[in-house]
Amino acid sequence: MLLSLKIGGVAVLGALPVAFLLAWILARIRFPGRFLLDGLVHLPLVLPPVVTGWLLLIAFGAHGPAGRFLSDVFGISLLFRWTGAALAAAIMALPLMVRAIRLSIEAVDRRLEGAARTLGASPLRTFLTITLPLSMPGVLAGAVLGFARSIGEFGATITFVSNIPGETRTLPIAIYSALQIPGSEHAVARLALIAVALSLGAVILSEFLARRGRNAERIGHVL
Amino acid sequence: MSFEVDIHRRVGERTIAARFEAGEGITALFGPSGIGKTSILTMIAGLLRPDGGRIAVNGQTLFDDEAGIDLPPEKRRIGYVFQDARLFPHKRVRANLLYGYDLAPPEARWMSMDEATSFLGIAPLLDRWPRSLSGGEARRVAIGRALLSGPRFLLMDEPLSSLDSARRDEIMTVIERIRDEVKLPILYVSHDRDEIDRLANTVITLGT
């Protein structure tokens, strides 16, 4: 349970800058190959999670290119570690986060950015003082959704880092394991209840943040 | 001469072109809607790149395609009062006013926050959010924000549009005081003849 929260938290914090960068590129830059990038970002959403997990296994395994790089340079391996579970969760959460953030960046009135420029703000300052705060509701909503998605991740995680108690046994994997043992209906029910509560809370919170963002537009408050 | 402008840009099927020089006081760009008056202002401000030509203010070249000069908007020191006030919705009036003031080098500023708020009568609005302001109030705050950024000249795009006649009078008085007391050169866009007759020293009529 705590492990799930830790994995979900690390996954979202790690994925957030990447998701924001991707969302910004997709929202603002027109370049050839944009549709390919869009497709790649969305791939984990439509691919069977087992396939994503297997691809991660290939890439980050002892002989995979990314795995070899990590073990040569940093002497670490993600395989069968909670960090690997966080990576799988982050990749699975990325599409949802990019979608939410991209919508909020597209909703920022670019003419406000022009106004900031005429008042003496450099492009970077304009981004930090206008674009970023105005897209913040979407960023927070994306983070909450991504967190819920991370906690629920099962297929890619179990394929990539297996099912190790205390290391990679996240909430859904714990439920699955308990189901394998006869007479553990109470344990399953308890875990499932936790999962429902967490997911429901996340959806309500993300909806609340998105609504608050829209209100901010209307009455001029901001988070 | 304050402004020297000679620019052109293709927008879709038409070409927007303008060539004029303007001196002290208010220079009005006059012409029917849709002729590209706003595009000309955005090109002078540096938000839209002309296809070619030259823009200079007080002898300093802001844009010259042959010489390869194209200063970014933040280096042009222009105050732009947009048609739709365009206040930052996530900042209170005070923070909107101080946005350009804080970014201007101290020697470039020529008006203090207190001067601006009393000049425009917006002191009671400082803690309000832009969305709660009336059209006339938002317009005055937008003018204050532009003045506080320490500009060398002002661009005003239909600053009286969609205001009732009492508000129009109020804003016109403010503009006349900028012209007469602050002596800031203003390039003023409008399609309203009466407005221009009252305010402008020079009128440039844009034809088709």
Side-chain angles (χ1 to χ4, degrees):
Chain A
M1 171 64 199
L2 273 178
L3 180 69
S4 266
L5 293 177
K6 178 169 84 171
I7 289 172
V10 168
V12 166
L13 287 181
L16 206 53
V18 180
F20 193 91
L21 184 68
L22 285 169
W24 187 83
I25 290 172
L26 289 171
R28 284 295 171 80
I29 303 178
R30 297 281 167 270
F31 60 96
R34 188 168 143 261
F35 293 104
L36 186 66
L37 182 64
D38 201 18
L40 281 175
V41 167
H42 281 91
L43 207 53
L45 203 61
V46 287
L47 213 57
V50 181
V51 177
T52 306
W54 179 74
L55 288 172
L56 284 171
L57 202 53
I58 301 272
F60 287 89
H63 302 293
R68 194 170 298 168
F69 172 79
L70 284 179
S71 75
D72 288 354
V73 179
F74 301 106
I76 55 170
S77 167
L78 300 181
L79 225 52
F80 308 119
R81 302 295 310 253
W82 72 268
T83 44
L87 176 69
I91 294 221
M92 296 302 287
L94 199 64
L96 281 177
M97 296 168 73
V98 171
R99 284 177 80 90
I101 298 170
R102 178 183 174 177
L103 281 177
S104 69
I105 291 178
E106 282 170 351
V108 173
D109 187 347
R110 304 206 60 178
R111 297 172 310 164
L112 292 172
E113 297 171 359
R117 297 291 301 279
T118 68
L119 290 166
S122 64
L124 177 66
R125 185 179 291 272
T126 301
F127 172 78
L128 291 175
T129 57
I130 308 296
T131 321
L132 191 58
L134 285 176
S135 56
M136 212 25 110
V139 173
L140 292 175
V144 173
L145 273 180
F147 184 67
R149 184 74 190 79
S150 295
I151 289 188
E153 219 302 298
F154 178 80
T157 308
I158 200 164
T159 313
F160 181 36
V161 292
S162 184
N163 175 5
I164 300 163
E167 188 70 39
T168 67
R169 181 173 287 179
T170 59
L171 185 60
I173 295 177
I175 294 176
Y176 177 77
S177 304
L179 275 171
Q180 309 297 307
I181 304 160
S184 59
E185 287 80 10
H186 284 300
V188 171
R190 208 176 60 237
L191 291 169
L193 206 64
I194 294 172
V196 169
L198 275 177
S199 308
L200 195 62
V203 170
I204 291 171
L205 184 60
S206 121
E207 198 51 37
F208 170 75
L209 290 172
R211 186 152 310 173
R212 195 154 162 192
R214 279 198 292 279
N215 278 348
E217 268 301 292
R218 196 157 51 242
I219 58 172
H221 284 278
V222 87
L223 294 160
Chain B
M1 273 309 153
S2 288
F3 299 94
E4 297 162 58
V5 174
D6 178 5
I7 45 173
H8 56 90
R9 181 187 162 97
R10 256 196 110 60
V11 178
E13 290 293 294
R14 2 184 241 125
T15 299
I16 293 170
R19 182 164 64 212
F20 57 86
E21 294 186 352
E24 304 284 289
I26 297 181
T27 305
L29 282 181
F30 173 72
S33 298
I35 198 140
K37 299 189 295 292
T38 299
S39 299
I40 291 167
L41 289 196
T42 52
M43 285 191 268
I44 294 172
L47 296 173
L48 185 68
R49 196 178 191 283
D51 292 337
R54 181 168 183 277
I55 301 167
V57 172
N58 294 341
Q60 190 202 357
T61 305
L62 304 180
F63 176 83
D64 187 336
D65 69 316
E66 279 165 26
I69 296 171
D70 184 10
L71 288 185
E74 64 269 25
K75 297 268 189 287
R76 296 192 178 196
R77 293 193 45 210
I78 31 159
Y80 195 153
V81 180
F82 299 90
Q83 190 171 1
D84 55 344
R86 216 170 285 187
L87 301 174
F88 303 129
H90 60 304
K91 292 176 183 288
R92 289 178 198 262
V93 168
R94 185 193 309 277
N96 265 282
L97 289 169
L98 287 174
Y99 191 88
Y101 183 83
D102 289 340
L103 288 170
E107 67 274 13
R109 300 174 188 152
W110 46 258
M111 190 177 234
S112 73
M113 182 75 165
D114 286 346
E115 283 164 358
T117 49
S118 64
F119 178 72
L120 295 162
I122 50 178
L125 308 177
L126 289 177
D127 290 318
R128 300 261 297 271
W129 293 97
R131 287 297 159 120
S132 72
L133 301 178
S134 70
E137 289 169 339
R139 230 46 87 84
R140 279 184 286 159
V141 173
I143 292 172
R145 184 176 69 170
L147 293 177
L148 281 167
S149 70
R152 292 176 301 183
F153 64 102
L154 217 51
L155 304 175
M156 293 187 135
D157 192 356
E158 307 258 10
L160 307 180
S161 66
S162 65
L163 293 181
D164 61 48
S165 62
R167 298 303 122 203
R168 287 170 68 93
D169 258 356
E170 181 187 302
I171 302 288
M172 266 206 249
T173 309
V174 165
I175 294 169
E176 283 169 334
R177 289 184 61 198
I178 295 172
R179 180 189 64 192
D180 303 332
E181 294 169 31
V182 185
K183 299 205 186 305
L184 194 65
I186 300 175
L187 190 58
Y188 187 100
V189 155
S190 177
H191 64 271
D192 183 319
R193 190 80 235 188
D194 293 339
E195 200 175 306
I196 281 176
D197 286 343
R198 171 169 163 188
L199 293 173
N201 307 64
T202 318
V203 178
I204 293 154
T205 306
L206 298 170
T208 35

